[in-house]
Amino acid sequence: MKKIISKTSLIIFLIFLLTFFLRVYKLPNFISFHQDQVRDLFYISDFFKEKKIILLGPKASVGDFYLPPFWYYLMSLSYFFSSSPLAPAILTAFLSSLSVFFIFKLTKDLFNKQIGYLTSSIYSFSSLSIEYSRFAWNPNPVPLFSVMTFYFLYQYLKNKKLIYFILGTITANLSLQLHYQGVIIFLFYFLIVLIYKKFNLKNFFIYLTSNFILILPFIIFEFLNNYPNLKGIINFIFSSSQNQLRLFGIPFYLKFIVFDFSQFIANTLFFKNHIFGYLGLLIFFYNLINFLIIKKNKINLIEKLLNYFFIFSLLVFFIYRNSLINFYLLFLIPFMIIYFVISLKNVFPNFFSQLLIIIFLLNVIFIPVYKKYDNTYLSLIEITNTLSKYKNYCIQYDIFKETFIEDKLRYMFFISKNPPKPTCQDTKNIFYICEPAKC
């Protein structure tokens, strides 16, 4: 009898299941359900109710413009099955978990299957990845679409098959639609294809057509509304005073590298231990500088692309005119893990496998992301379940607007089986929900 499934496929599927489990474990205890999540759920519910086509995505965190609608299409997929805030969070965890397949494929081609298993498992236990995979937010799926773009780019350069070029074009565009940090992978994909002279007239036409189709809803909205987002994007790029942004400058950039980027490495690879993050930073830059100074003719294509990618990313960070906090670097998570594995191999060739196993075990033992609960969602569930047991009831709120608790409660009551009456006229039970300072 032929094997139904190979041993390799079984192992990587089990790693995927482990990755998914780590992201949905006690999800109601850890899910972030705050301003952006409530905004998005109300937005989706309104479009489902009115049966309209979504043309725009969420508002960008800087500037005065909105993103294309891909994130809301993803949320609509989960909303179709359930209106619960848990539904898009589970979808986000699922998308995050899919990254292990592409991390495995890349590291398997770089080294071997065993290193691929280990590297994928390190991603499974990555603290930063887990934290940003447990709630629905438009930047959170960016790591998956970024690593997919990189994988398809690698396959296209290696095998010269048009399908990989098309898939890479699509995933690069979707990365950009999810969050503007995706502009780095979008531009990198375009530039590498251009530099490697893989653009011909046919491919360029496919590239333009694919991108046009993918952002067509956004273009329709712009055309119908006198291009407000295009103006906002142009203003953001060229206005030095927009939101008091400024050029990063060398001192600010060095501070970012030494403190923030090292913390990002710690959060991604070393269970948030900043001391290990500094060590990781030294290894990272040693390998990057070694690549720049010592030309390696026989360097693997993946390693070469990764070096180019980090050089390009660091250059973009330098000219970016705002603070760079953790979620702006989410797209780097898979690449940092793979690149660090390469760096370990280059810096410590005799102890490479042992060090990789130690890093994996330390992440398993000291994983910090299950220690602190966010009880917001559970508290909302408790309030909603308690009050919705009553018949013919209404609710009055006296809550600070800055907390957005009223919006969260309104949504939870909106999806309950027994929602409150819209007004308190002729109602039997009136409940008053207030802040302690206002009660």
Side-chain angles (χ1 to χ4, degrees), residues 265 269-270 275-285 336 340:
I265 294 174
L269 280 156
F270 299 111
I275 295 175
F276 280 100
Y278 286 127
L279 293 174
L281 184 69
L282 290 174
I283 294 170
F284 170 84
F285 274 107
M336 179 55 70
F340 190 77

Side-chain angles (χ1 to χ4, degrees), residues 58-63 65 67 137-138 179-180 243 320 322 327-328:
K59 190 176 187 297
S61 53
V62 296
F65 60 91
L67 298 167
W137 199 28
N138 56 292
H179 192 265
Y180 66 88
N243 290 331
Y320 180 62
N322 204 347
F327 79 85
Y328 287 165

Side-chain angles (χ1 to χ4, degrees), residues 158-174:
K158 178 184 175 184
N159 299 311
K160 301 177 179 61
K161 291 185 178 179
L162 184 61
I163 184 62
Y164 291 122
F165 172 74
I166 296 172
L167 291 172
T169 300
I170 292 171
T171 51
N173 180 286
L174 297 181

Side-chain angles (χ1 to χ4, degrees), residues 162 165 200-207:
L162 184 61
F165 172 74
N200 53 39
L201 189 60
K202 175 184 175 183
N203 286 8
F204 191 67
F205 175 77
I206 291 172
Y207 181 82

Side-chain angles (χ1 to χ4, degrees), residues 376-391:
T376 302
Y377 178 73
L378 291 177
S379 299
L380 295 170
I381 287 289
E382 183 181 2
I383 294 170
T384 308
N385 289 342
T386 300
L387 299 188
S388 61
K389 292 177 182 178
Y390 293 86
K391 295 181 180 179

Side-chain angles (χ1 to χ4, degrees), residues 60-105:
S61 53
V62 296
D64 187 21
F65 60 91
Y66 287 78
L67 298 167
F70 177 57
W71 169 241
Y72 284 151
Y73 293 162
L74 281 176
M75 283 199 68
S76 298
L77 179 64
S78 64
Y79 192 90
F80 179 79
F81 294 99
S82 173
S83 57
S84 167
L86 291 176
I90 292 172
L91 175 63
T92 304
F94 176 77
L95 293 174
S96 170
S97 304
L98 289 176
S99 298
V100 298
F101 293 109
F102 297 95
I103 293 172
F104 170 76
K105 287 177 177 294

